């Protein structure tokens, strides 16, 4: 059986393609507009602030990982009964880490604890919005 890392350049390109798709999705769906009912600014994902930048932090997103992420065998990473369809999802190895930067706002709290709670609430809202789409 060949090594899952046999074509590491293709694996790097696949993870970069997935990252670019995610970054484009987040930027496009967080453009805020005024809600006619509440009069507040909201995005398609339900966030009050736009995502300015999605930055790659993991070495695999900078072509510097020794072993790039490989799709999990149960999610199409290895051929299962001749089925060659690939399904995005869990990968083997380290998690792929990204940084999401929101637009600036004067309404961020000044207390570190309150800021942490606000960031957590924004990330929960982001996850809920992605699930609903």
């Amino acid at each position: 059986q060949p090594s899952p890392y046999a074509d590491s350049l293709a694996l790097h390109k696949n993870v970069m393609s997935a990252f670019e798709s995610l970054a484009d999705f987040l930027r496009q769906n967080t453009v805020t507009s005024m809600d006619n009912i509440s009069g507040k600014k909201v995005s398609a994902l339900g966030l009050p602030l736009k995502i300015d930048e999605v930055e790659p932090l993991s070495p695999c997103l900078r072509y510097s990982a020794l072993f790039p992420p490989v799709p999990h065998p149960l999610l199409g990473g290895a051929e299962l009964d001749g089925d060659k369809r690939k399904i995005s999802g869990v990968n083997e190895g380290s998690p792929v880490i990204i940084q999401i930067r929101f637009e600036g706002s004067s309404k961020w709290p000044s207390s570190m604890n309150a800021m942490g709670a606000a960031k957590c609430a924004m990330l929960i809202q982001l996850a809920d919005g992605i699930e609903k789409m």
Side-chain angles (χ1 to χ4, degrees), residues 3 14 33 37 41 48 54 65-66 78 91 93 100 102 104 107 118 128:
S3 168
N14 289 344
S33 60
I37 298 170
K41 287 173 57 172
V54 181
L66 184 58
N91 62 43
I100 298 173
F102 294 100
K107 296 184 180 182
D128 289 344

Side-chain angles (χ1 to χ4, degrees), residues 17 22-23 26 38 48 66 79 101:
S17 175
L22 174 67
L26 291 175
S38 67
L66 184 58
E79 290 186 30
R101 187 174 40 161

